[in-house]
Amino acid sequence: MKKLNPEYVQRVNELVNRCPYFELLSMKMVDVGIGFSLLEIDLEKKHLQPFGFVHGGVFASIVDAACFWAIFYNIEDQDSGATTVDLKLNYLAPAVSGKLIAKGAQIKLGKTLGYAEARVTDGEGRLLAHGTSTLMILPNNSLVLDRPLPSKFSTA
């Protein structure tokens, strides 16, 4: 069984949490590994639509990201990435404050496509949204990071 290199995960997670879009949404990757991800957003006024509820785009963004990161660390080739080709989302309950917690889980990963789901809850565990995503694996499309990166997987 593959084992992730902790140094690689740390470097990638630092990049992700500093990326402009994550910063714009105040989104953080809390935990990630082969086949799973955990992301959070501490809700602020900037996340609300004119009726006082969290905008659906915020939910879509955290579902998309949780699905992506649930797949990413299981892609064999270190120099490959992925992009979303399909995102399906069901809004189940509104949120106005607190925290969004998205748990992503890989459902299937092939050579060219991956499929994942994400469940979004609030801080009390109430299910707010559920989504699925199909991702296309992109060979030779690696992360924009200071090079060189350590190996993605441990050799020991």
Side-chain angles (χ1 to χ4, degrees):
M1 182 169 144
K2 296 180 289 192
K3 184 170 169 40
L4 287 173
N5 179 348
E7 184 183 352
Y8 179 87
V9 173
Q10 178 185 351
R11 293 247 336 254
V12 171
N13 289 359
E14 288 170 1
L15 169 77
V16 169
N17 285 331
R18 285 192 329 260
C19 87
Y21 193 68
F22 270 50
E23 287 181 345
L24 177 70
L25 289 179
S26 302
M27 186 161 39
K28 295 281 182 208
M29 186 146 51
V30 177
D31 195 12
V32 69
I34 295 175
F36 74 93
S37 67
L38 177 64
L39 288 82
E40 294 182 353
I41 296 176
D42 287 319
L43 295 171
E44 303 173 30
K45 273 186 93 169
K46 69 180 179 181
H47 297 110
L48 304 180
Q49 40 88 313
F51 293 94
F53 298 108
V54 174
H55 192 283
V58 177
F59 282 100
S61 290
I62 199 168
V63 166
D64 185 38
C67 287
F68 177 92
W69 290 106
I71 293 284
F72 179 78
Y73 282 104
N74 207 17
I75 298 171
E76 290 284 335
D77 181 16
Q78 180 162 327
D79 292 322
S80 291
T83 191
T84 302
V85 295
D86 174 278
L87 183 65
K88 295 177 185 162
L89 179 59
N90 290 91
Y91 301 99
L92 304 172
V96 295
S97 63
K99 186 179 290 235
L100 297 183
I101 302 164
K103 293 181 180 178
Q106 175 185 303
I107 295 172
K108 180 155 178 40
L109 180 61
K111 298 243 184 258
T112 58
L113 293 174
Y115 187 60
E117 71 171 342
R119 295 176 175 270
V120 182
T121 60
D122 62 14
E124 287 75 49
R126 183 173 63 124
L127 186 61
L128 305 176
H130 176 265
T132 59
S133 178
T134 303
L135 296 107
M136 178 173 52
I137 309 305
L138 300 172
N140 302 312
N141 189 290
S142 58
L143 291 160
V144 179
L145 272 175
D146 295 331
R147 298 289 178 176
L149 276 173
S151 176
K152 189 177 202 178
F153 300 104
S154 296
T155 54

